Amino acid sequence: MQPPADVSPVRVITDLETMRTLSDPTRIAILRVLMSGGRSAPVMSAKEIAAALGEPQTKLYRHLKQLEAAGLIQVAETRLVSGIQEQRYRTAQLTFTLSGDLVTDPSASTEFADTLSSVFSEFHTQLTGNLSAGRVPIGTEAETPLGLLIGRGMVARVSPVRAADFRRRLLALQNEFDTLADDDPSGIPVHLLIGWYAVVDPE
């Protein structure tokens, strides 16, 4: 299934204001919900998003407005519900990334750190909540093939060629994961967060 024509496959964030919009875990969570359908680009009301996040609906209105103002979500349709006009939203992109120039801009360092923190914090909140509820299998791979997986490698010294190849394969795996987003509507939710970087001296 192809996304609507006005939904971009990848949004490259190039401005500080949009990155600042991403520096909040609640807004990251809203994007996660709206982007979780992959190419099918789900359309949801504030009430439906609140139910998916387990948050009060009134808490989301300000965040939805900020995401819409930044062009990260769109009003896909409006309808009357009990005499009240209800807006329904969808994502404006299937995934996003930050431009290299923005990441390395010293004046944007605080916002970049806040955005990273929001991404990690939102993933952490989902993980700990599901762990506490007993919804995440724990055990050996043989015992629980669907169990929690935490990356074992922290730092490794490898050749630049091998590092580049490893990164390429991680990206391929992430792209494969993204294509599975709407593979089975009745399937189980799977969360993925990949962290990888190389340390190289600037030229």
Side-chain angles (χ1 to χ4, degrees):
M1 179 183 296
Q2 293 297 317
D6 53 350
V7 174
S8 172
V10 180
R11 167 83 178 270
V12 180
I13 308 301
T14 59
D15 64 288
L16 183 58
E17 193 58 40
T18 302
M19 186 166 70
R20 189 175 289 122
T21 302
L22 294 169
S23 64
D24 182 277
T26 299
R27 292 194 283 275
I28 291 291
I30 292 170
L31 284 173
R32 173 179 56 78
V33 168
L34 291 176
M35 295 192 301
S36 64
R39 292 184 298 275
S40 58
V43 175
M44 303 175 70
S45 66
K47 181 178 180 180
E48 292 167 331
I49 296 170
L53 295 177
E55 296 280 4
Q57 183 176 339
T58 53
K59 177 182 176 180
L60 301 188
Y61 289 122
R62 173 175 61 88
H63 296 295
L64 288 167
K65 289 295 183 186
Q66 288 175 298
L67 288 167
E68 182 187 355
L72 291 162
I73 66 173
Q74 307 166 341
V75 175
E77 61 185 44
T78 58
R79 62 182 183 180
L80 282 178
V81 178
S82 301
I84 299 174
Q85 189 177 65
E86 177 187 73
Q87 293 182 319
R88 307 190 77 225
Y89 302 90
R90 73 174 173 222
T91 181
Q93 63 284 308
L94 301 184
T95 188
F96 63 84
T97 186
L98 302 176
S99 75
D101 289 342
L102 188 60
V103 169
T104 56
D105 183 351
S107 67
S109 60
T110 299
E111 286 79 5
F112 177 57
D114 289 345
T115 298
L116 278 183
S117 178
S118 294
V119 171
F120 293 144
S121 175
E122 202 277 328
F123 187 87
H124 172 267
T125 299
Q126 289 293 308
L127 175 58
T128 54
N130 284 315
L131 281 169
S132 298
R135 293 193 292 261
V136 179
I138 301 293
T140 66
E141 187 171 348
E143 295 169 338
T144 56
L146 296 177
L148 174 65
L149 175 63
I150 299 293
R152 300 173 184 84
M154 298 301 290
V155 179
R157 286 190 173 274
V158 299
S159 71
V161 171
R162 189 168 187 184
D165 179 64
F166 190 79
R167 180 179 184 275
R168 178 189 57 76
R169 286 186 285 133
L170 280 177
L171 284 173
L173 184 62
Q174 179 178 318
N175 290 336
E176 179 185 349
F177 181 84
D178 289 342
T179 65
L180 297 176
D182 53 0
D183 179 63
D184 185 355
S186 63
I188 59 173
V190 177
H191 297 246
L192 173 69
L193 178 65
I194 295 176
W196 185 97
Y197 66 94
V199 179
V200 296
D201 292 327
E203 296 181 357

